[in-house]
Amino acid sequence: MTRVRRWLPGLLLVTPSIVVIGVFVYGMLGWNLRLAMTDRHDEISEGRFVGLENFVTLWDEKRWGISVHHAIVFTAVFVLGALALGWLLAFLMEKGIRGEGTFRAVYLFPMAVSFVATGVVWRWLMNSGQGERAVGLNRLFGMLGLDSLQWEWFRNPDWGMAAMAIPAIWQMSGYVMALFLAGFRGVPEDLREAARVDGCTEWQVYRHVVLPLLRPVTLSALIILGHISLKVFDLIVAVSGKQIITDVPAVFMWVAVFDSHDPAKGATIASYIVLAVSVFVVPYLVWTLRRERGEKRS
Amino acid sequence: MRRRWRAAVAVTVASLLALTACGGGDGAGQGSQTSDKKKVEVFSWWTGPGEVDGLKAMRAIFEKRNPSLEFFDAAVAGGSGDKARALLTTKLQAGTPPDTFQGHAGAELQGYVKAGQLEPVNFLYDELKLKDVFPGQLIDQISVQGNVYSVPVNIHRSNVMWFNPALLKKAGVTEVPATIDEFVTALEKVKQTGKVPLAIGSEWTMVHLLESVLLGSLGTDAYNGLWTANADWSGPAMTKALNDYKTILSYAGEPAEDWQPAAKQVADGGAAFTIMGDWAYGYFHNPPDGGLGKKSKVDFDWAPSPGTGGTFMWLSDSFTLPKGAPNRDGAVAWLKVAASKEGQDAFNPKKGSIPARKDADTSLYTDYLAEALKDWNTDRLAGSIQHGVTVNDAWRVKINEAVGVFHTDRDVAALQASLAEAAKSSGQ
């Protein structure tokens, strides 16, 4: 009885959230996966179980190949760009510049804007008009006499998705900066001192002492940015709408469900997105879990 | 100890209550309707300037004719009804349809028809003798196995070429191009002047261009044949049409955000031509808060898109009768207004379109609309692709995908193969 008394109140407290998450997250995930394994290719039919057929045939579609390619380019540019820029900002900040608080707020501010608002503004900034029709950034380049820098931005068939990552980098690098800054501050001054006494240059201090200690922070940032990037939808739709030239899996999923009226295809794409995100998230969870256990033991 | 227990139980119960309250909310809301007038929910995507005024004008007629009914405007914003249709899908699937909803007349409604969500409105056509007042070709092109599922309120024309007369003059184009070859020659002449020959917008405007080029290159019979069982998507005529498309597209400037900025390039003299539906007329012509305030025939001019003279490529907004509509009589009353001469003549001059009826009051339609109305009564008819007349949704998405891919690789053979595949897998 006393043992029951110890765990039952706690369980009761968390039950509602367990139930809600169970139904609305995991239940829906399961329901989606089941739908993806049927041939319910319109809204009327009941759908027979077809196993993994949809998952295989999706790869025959040209559009799927394009959208996966776009997602990879976007993710690579966005994650690396935001990490590099965020790290650089944190590095400069860490050097103890004046008015650090102000700068920190300024760089963090874009986080408060939604991707949709960012997208609407950047759609205008990245207008593809050139020469006398130029607006936004192209116009700016024109006014500065840098006409050769004018290009089609996200409408470029090869590097359009890299341009699409620019607003995302703009928005998230401040956040990465905050993470890194906390990381930098967490490195004890004694360690740096010790390294300096041993004759390290300032660069070597960073290379051999600070950076290794920042690995957990980098990993967290990577996971957070990576999963945002793989399921990106709002930014793309706000900047370019549902165009093939900037198609990504999440937009394709929307089109499959609401325009083509093909629920099974939409569910298949959704499953792939979950899979791609979990490739990022699951190892991270395992790693944190292990670390937490390790800490408890020690 | 006991306190903690109580707190835990209280929190649990409270959250369970909150959950059930969410589920039960709907029923309570419906019960609180106190007005003795019966509501008619009219679902549309008419929220922009012009169209919303037209809807208001029709609403006034409806309320005058039906004092016992209350018009409930369930409009959802968003051009061409993207967002509205997504919401509509969920409503229909949940079995809670609006009393009547807007849809493009033609194949776009087929999904609803197949799902058994629409009631045929043949009885209305018989009762109101609509078969005598709508063009016969229109009735043919919207009938599915002898049944009609909607009442067209307005007609827009898709195959219109808008151009800048001053720019053409400067480029030495003396005659408005009437064939595709003449069009290409004119585009080349404009290119020599350094201006943009053809303005285009986002990817859907390229599909819009494609339908005009197909109609102009294949001819009306072959184009209308594409939507029948003996369609030829893989033949040499289609290859030629798609090569024409490629040639024309090679004269296009960098894509603008949408059709309006593209039309603005023409109005401002930056570009010579654009091919867009006749809703562009309102944008060119209306005073500056909704349009560009340009003078027709002087600052901008129009002609049927090259090779399509004598054919009216149409699209139409129409209203439907969903099965299980809560207020079927109210919906029928609305459809009667939408089909009436009075209703259509109230709506269309404001929306900037022409009535589907042949007996409209011609004095209400001036300038471009007068010409369109004349052509509507005399021309041959062909249905639009992008605007839901000839192809169902799944097919239209595939055509859009094929054109989107073509825009990046410019591979005619691949485009033709994709289009043929789309016709095979999604054809009616």
Side-chain angles (χ1 to χ4, degrees), chain B residues 340-364:
Chain B
S340 68
K341 182 167 178 298
E342 194 191 358
Q344 299 208 345
D345 275 343
F347 177 77
N348 285 300
K350 293 208 162 75
K351 158 91 165 126
S353 49
I354 58 168
R357 295 173 69 107
K358 292 185 290 185
D359 59 351
D361 180 358
T362 48
S363 68
L364 293 169

Side-chain angles (χ1 to χ4, degrees), chain A residues 1 4-6 8-10 12-13 15-16 19-20 24 40 42-44 61-63 66 123-124 127-130 132-133 152 155 157 239-240 242-246 252 254-255 257-261 263 265, chain B residues 1 4-5 7-9 11-12 15-16 19 82 85-86 89-90 93 111-112 114-115 195-196 201-204 206 254-258 265 269-270 393-394 396-398 400-401 404-405 407-409 414 418:
Chain A
M1 191 60 204
V4 172
R5 255 193 212 162
R6 271 186 60 195
L8 195 61
L12 274 178
L13 275 172
T15 303
V19 169
V20 171
F24 290 102
R40 196 162 178 251
D42 52 52
E43 283 148 354
I44 320 151
E61 280 200 44
K62 220 185 225 171
R63 179 173 185 169
I66 293 173
R123 177 176 62 183
W124 180 80
N127 192 297
S128 61
Q130 290 171 30
E132 57 181 27
R133 289 175 309 282
E152 310 101 313
R155 286 205 165 82
V239 172
S240 107
K242 300 181 287 192
Q243 303 193 69
I244 304 295
I245 200 150
T246 54
F252 189 12
W254 163 267
V255 170
V257 174
F258 288 103
D259 293 351
S260 310
H261 303 281
K265 190 159 114 188
Chain B
M1 197 69 222
R4 240 209 283 167
W5 257 97
V9 172
V11 170
T12 316
S15 23
L16 283 175
L19 269 181
D82 256 13
R85 296 193 61 208
T89 305
T90 38
Q93 286 201 343
Y112 305 125
K114 259 203 239 156
K195 298 287 181 182
V196 172
S202 50
E203 271 166 18
W204 76 264
M206 295 179 212
E254 60 289 288
E257 273 173 38
D258 207 342
Q265 289 176 12
D393 283 335
R396 182 171 49 84
V397 170
K398 290 219 169 115
N400 272 274
E401 286 173 6
V405 172
H407 182 54
T408 53
D409 66 9
S418 310

Side-chain angles (χ1 to χ4, degrees), chain A residues 56 63 69 75 97 106 117 121 149 167 183 208 212 231 245 266 283 297:
Chain A
V56 178
R63 179 173 185 169
H69 176 241
T75 304
I97 48 164
V106 167
V121 174
L149 283 180
H208 297 289
K231 58 185 192 193
I245 200 150
R297 233 173 271 139

Side-chain angles (χ1 to χ4, degrees), chain A:
Chain A
M1 191 60 204
T2 34
R3 275 181 60 197
V4 172
R5 255 193 212 162
R6 271 186 60 195
W7 58 257
L8 195 61
L11 183 68
L12 274 178
L13 275 172
V14 293
T15 303
S17 60
I18 289 179
V19 169
V20 171
I21 290 175
V23 172
F24 290 102
V25 177
Y26 294 96
M28 294 294 166
L29 273 178
W31 183 80
N32 179 72
L33 197 63
R34 213 199 61 191
L35 181 59
M37 292 193 200
T38 64
D39 63 352
R40 196 162 178 251
H41 292 300
D42 52 52
E43 283 148 354
I44 320 151
S45 58
E46 277 304 310
R48 285 173 304 118
F49 182 80
V50 292
L52 294 175
E53 193 189 295
N54 294 329
F55 288 86
V56 178
T57 52
L58 191 59
W59 291 95
D60 297 337
E61 280 200 44
K62 220 185 225 171
R63 179 173 185 169
W64 175 244
I66 293 173
S67 65
V68 168
H69 176 241
H70 284 166
I72 293 172
V73 172
F74 180 83
T75 304
V77 177
F78 167 55
V79 170
L80 291 179
L83 279 181
L85 192 62
W87 189 88
L88 186 74
L89 289 174
F91 177 72
L92 296 175
M93 211 75 89
E94 213 255 333
K95 292 275 127 194
I97 48 164
R98 249 206 273 170
E100 187 204 311
T102 318
F103 279 112
R104 215 165 43 196
V106 167
Y107 291 137
L108 258 177
F109 233 37
M111 273 278 288
V113 184
S114 82
F115 260 141
V116 174
T118 310
V120 170
V121 174
W122 280 85
R123 177 176 62 183
W124 180 80
L125 284 174
M126 299 196 292
N127 192 297
S128 61
Q130 290 171 30
E132 57 181 27
R133 289 175 309 282
V135 290
L137 289 172
N138 279 352
R139 176 81 162 265
L140 185 71
F141 288 149
M143 281 158 71
L144 295 175
L146 297 167
D147 296 52
S148 55
L149 283 180
Q150 295 186 347
W151 68 307
E152 310 101 313
W153 298 100
F154 63 88
R155 286 205 165 82
N156 181 296
D158 300 319
W159 294 104
M161 285 316 280
M164 192 61 99
I166 297 173
I169 294 173
W170 173 82
Q171 179 141 14
M172 296 304 289
S173 53
Y175 176 64
V176 179
M177 173 209 73
L179 286 180
F180 273 129
L181 196 56
F184 278 131
R185 297 274 148 86
V187 178
E189 195 56 40
D190 336 358
L191 284 181
R192 300 187 197 204
E193 278 302 311
R196 283 187 198 117
V197 169
D198 283 347
C200 277
T201 62
E202 199 57 24
W203 166 244
Q204 280 170 324
V205 171
Y206 273 94
R207 171 70 190 81
H208 297 289
V209 177
V210 180
L211 272 185
L213 285 168
L214 281 182
R215 221 174 274 155
V217 179
T218 316
L219 193 66
S220 311
L222 190 74
I223 308 292
I224 291 164
L225 297 177
H227 93 273
I228 289 177
S229 157
L230 286 171
K231 58 185 192 193
V232 63
F233 172 81
D234 36 9
L235 177 72
I236 309 280
V237 170
V239 172
S240 107
K242 300 181 287 192
Q243 303 193 69
I244 304 295
I245 200 150
T246 54
D247 199 42
V248 290
V251 175
F252 189 12
M253 173 186 80
W254 163 267
V255 170
V257 174
F258 288 103
D259 293 351
S260 310
H261 303 281
D262 187 341
K265 190 159 114 188
T268 309
I269 300 171
S271 307
Y272 269 127
I273 297 175
V274 171
L275 204 68
V277 171
S278 53
V279 165
F280 267 89
V281 174
V282 170
Y284 175 71
L285 288 180
V286 171
W287 179 73
T288 18
L289 214 65
R290 238 188 244 154
R291 202 177 54 162
E292 274 168 14
R293 276 209 198 117
E295 271 168 12
K296 249 181 221 163
R297 233 173 271 139
S298 58

Side-chain angles (χ1 to χ4, degrees), chain B residues 58 76 108 130 164 223 232 262 278 313 348 381 410 415 420:
Chain B
M58 268 209 293
V76 177
E108 195 176 286
L130 294 180
N164 185 315
Y223 177 85
D232 185 11
D278 61 7
M313 177 138 59
N348 285 300
L381 301 187
R410 304 285 161 124
L415 174 62

